[in-house]
Amino acid sequence: MGLGLLSLALVLGFSGEAVAAPLPNVNIGLGASDNPQDVSVTLQVMAVLTIVSLAPGILMMTTSFVRIVVIIGFLRNALSTQNVPPNQVVIALSLFLTFYIMAPYWGEANEQGLQPYLAGQISQEEALRNVVEPMRVFMFKQTREADLALFVNLSDAPRPDSQDDVSTFTLIPAFIISELKTAFQMGFMIYIPFIVIDMIVASTLMSMGMMMLPPVMISLPFKILLFVMVDGWHLLIQSLIMSFK
């Protein structure tokens, strides 16, 4: 939120002077330098650009996005609606639900790490640690102990005595497979009522001798009707959000 307000203020400030001020000229080049500090700054810029390029993957793999998008995909397949809702809608809904769920953790990271660093109150290393810590808390809450133990054992690392001893690079893959397992469990529960409808429709068609008529064509309206009658989207989103509590 603080970055958003800062960006808006900068845009408004620049737009007010756009008429009088000339357009800036930005030059980027490579050259020799005798100052070690210049090399350090260049490496920091390259590191930031690398992190920005990996930002979508970091956003997806360290937040609630994976579970949400997989479960909505299961729902779409269970309904047999092919590409309805479209992929763009599924991704957008998953992103906004992710923002909603992760808002407290991102707010804490902003208050404890980003804002003090921008104000010059803490060092870069301390700011990074304070930003990562809320994300680690979230991932630990959703990660199963067995999945975490798997990656600790595979890395040949010593047995951790506390969560602080677990590396973030060990925590992230354990969190991802835990999320996938949870998503598949919830997806199985979503499939059950729709499978029952498919079985009833298929048995009815076979008893009537209508074996050439695809059962999916007949069961699809009933599945959509069931989903609408029980207010399926409300129940699904409520279950998704509550699963992260």
Side-chain angles (χ1 to χ4, degrees):
M1 184 64 70
L3 287 177
L5 294 177
L6 177 61
S7 301
L8 179 60
L10 291 175
V11 170
L12 293 177
F14 287 140
S15 62
E17 301 175 359
V19 177
L23 294 176
N25 183 19
V26 179
N27 294 320
I28 300 177
L30 297 175
S33 175
D34 298 329
N35 188 359
Q37 186 176 1
D38 294 339
V39 179
S40 176
V41 172
T42 302
L43 294 177
Q44 291 180 3
V45 171
M46 293 178 61
V48 170
L49 292 177
T50 303
I51 294 175
V52 170
S53 64
L54 297 176
I58 296 174
L59 173 65
M60 291 188 295
M61 296 303 158
T62 60
T63 64
S64 58
F65 180 85
V66 172
R67 184 188 304 184
I68 296 172
V69 74
V70 170
I71 291 176
I72 296 179
F74 272 122
L75 172 65
R76 189 169 65 177
N77 291 333
L79 285 171
S80 303
T81 53
Q82 302 300 326
N83 293 323
V84 179
N87 291 332
Q88 293 86 346
V89 175
V90 172
I91 297 299
L93 177 60
S94 301
L95 281 175
F96 280 106
L97 288 176
T98 299
F99 295 154
Y100 178 82
I101 293 170
M102 301 301 298
Y105 301 95
W106 287 346
E108 183 179 352
N110 181 52
E111 294 176 2
Q112 301 297 329
L114 183 59
Q115 294 303 324
Y117 174 71
L118 294 177
Q121 300 174 357
I122 58 177
S123 63
Q124 183 177 358
E125 292 77 11
E126 187 176 358
L128 180 60
R129 184 169 59 253
N130 293 344
V131 168
V132 173
E133 185 58 30
M135 304 304 300
R136 285 172 55 89
V137 171
F138 170 78
M139 287 189 287
F140 271 118
K141 287 182 179 180
Q142 312 303 327
T143 304
R144 291 176 173 83
E145 184 176 352
D147 296 329
L148 187 59
L150 169 65
F151 286 96
V152 171
N153 294 332
L154 291 176
S155 64
D156 295 329
R159 181 182 178 88
D161 296 327
S162 64
Q163 293 182 353
D164 295 335
D165 298 332
V166 178
S167 170
T168 303
F169 295 104
T170 302
L171 175 60
I172 291 177
F175 166 75
I176 294 173
I177 64 174
S178 293
E179 286 292 278
L180 289 174
K181 182 176 181 179
T182 303
F184 273 65
Q185 290 175 341
M186 297 181 68
F188 171 77
M189 299 302 296
I190 290 173
Y191 257 98
I192 291 178
F194 300 114
I195 289 178
V196 172
I197 294 178
D198 285 333
M199 293 176 61
I200 294 174
V201 171
S203 300
T204 303
L205 292 177
M206 289 183 64
S207 64
M208 297 174 61
M210 305 174 64
M211 303 182 64
M212 300 301 295
L213 183 63
V216 176
M217 184 180 301
I218 305 300
S219 64
L220 177 58
F222 291 102
K223 290 192 285 188
I224 294 177
L225 178 62
L226 173 65
F227 189 73
V228 172
M229 289 181 61
V230 300
D231 199 0
W233 285 112
H234 177 90
L235 294 176
L236 178 66
I237 300 305
Q238 181 183 20
S239 300
L240 274 171
I241 295 177
M242 294 302 296
S243 67
F244 289 99
K245 299 298 184 181

